[in-house]
Amino acid sequence: SGFSVISAWIYIQSGSVQEEVSILNIGESSTYAHDFFLYTEDSSTTPMALGCKIGDDTNYVLWRTKKNVLKQEKWHHVAVKSVANGLGVGIFIDGKKTTTISAENTGPAAYNPSPLTGTIGNVSGTWDRTFNGYIDEVSLYARSLLASDIQKIYNGGQPKGINEQTEYLKNKVVSHWTMGDGDDSDPDILDVIAENHATMSSFVSPYGIISNS
């Protein structure tokens, strides 16, 4: 099934300058395609921004925050509320909804997030969009969340594991990866809600939330 919200904690290491570095990509396994693509951008024109594409590599709609909304060497909570058929998204950083640029539409945007290949910290296919840093507590929600729900997940900058969330929030989660905590054992990353388990590739320890200072 599809999803309405993605939530994750990210930590961008210093010196990691690259356009469209993947947080989560859901698309075809054989090509650089992204029915849903959540990424950070650190280009010369849009440094330290957060973006989201829905569609494929040539026919998509795109939303991106203003520049310099993210910081290196700091944990951020990011969340994106998607609307079916590519009608719009809401981007949240550290519990607050951010202003996004107008959607850029290069063609009809197909929105079919399932069944496809999901990749955390890179994209499917031959392109390299490796995230240089840490990603933790990645959740997909099947039902939309209120802004107040996202603020609760952010929790004032203090991350909570999935089992520490309220029953109301946990009941909306369709997949969750702790990214190295609990029963995870290199190279296996377990989906603690469903069966969408992942395999680590080119990742190094330490895993999990380290510090939010």
Side-chain angles (χ1 to χ4, degrees), residues 56-61 104-108:
D56 59 33
D57 196 36
T58 56
N59 300 297
Y60 61 83
V61 286
E104 298 176 5
N105 193 349
T106 62

Side-chain angles (χ1 to χ4, degrees), residues 182-212:
D183 294 328
D184 290 348
S185 178
D186 186 7
D188 299 317
I189 298 294
L190 302 180
D191 179 350
V192 299
I193 300 297
E195 298 294 327
N196 299 309
H197 305 309
T199 301
M200 225 186 296
S201 175
S202 302
F203 278 65
V204 296
S205 62
Y207 310 124
I209 288 288
I210 300 173
S211 171
N212 200 41

Side-chain angles (χ1 to χ4, degrees), residues 3-7 79-82 139-145 150:
F3 57 89
S4 293
V5 178
I6 175 177
S7 165
V80 173
K81 295 176 62 174
S82 65
S139 297
L140 300 183
Y141 292 82
R143 302 173 185 172
S144 186
L145 299 180
I150 295 174

Side-chain angles (χ1 to χ4, degrees), residues 31 137 196:
T31 60
E137 302 296 335
N196 299 309

Side-chain angles (χ1 to χ4, degrees), residues 5-113:
V5 178
I6 175 177
S7 165
W9 289 85
I10 64 171
Y11 183 100
I12 305 171
Q13 291 183 308
S14 60
S16 54
V17 179
Q18 184 178 346
E19 292 187 34
E20 297 189 1
V21 177
S22 176
I23 299 172
L24 175 71
N25 177 76
I26 298 178
E28 299 174 8
S29 60
S30 59
T31 60
Y32 175 41
H34 37 253
D35 279 75
F36 183 89
F37 182 38
L38 177 63
Y39 62 93
T40 62
E41 179 167 343
D42 197 17
S43 65
S44 58
T45 56
T46 315
M48 302 308 292
L50 187 68
C52 174
K53 288 182 180 179
I54 295 177
D56 59 33
D57 196 36
T58 56
N59 300 297
Y60 61 83
V61 286
L62 178 153
W63 296 265
R64 185 173 55 230
T65 66
K66 295 180 178 179
K67 60 185 180 181
N68 295 319
V69 297
L70 299 172
K71 294 182 179 180
Q72 295 182 345
E73 305 295 333
K74 181 182 184 299
W75 281 103
H76 288 287
H77 178 259
V78 297
V80 173
K81 295 176 62 174
S82 65
V83 178
N85 300 318
L87 296 178
V89 301
I91 299 178
F92 294 75
I93 298 176
D94 295 335
K96 296 180 180 179
K97 189 173 182 179
T98 65
T99 301
T100 60
I101 65 170
S102 300
E104 298 176 5
N105 193 349
T106 62
Y111 182 72
N112 179 30

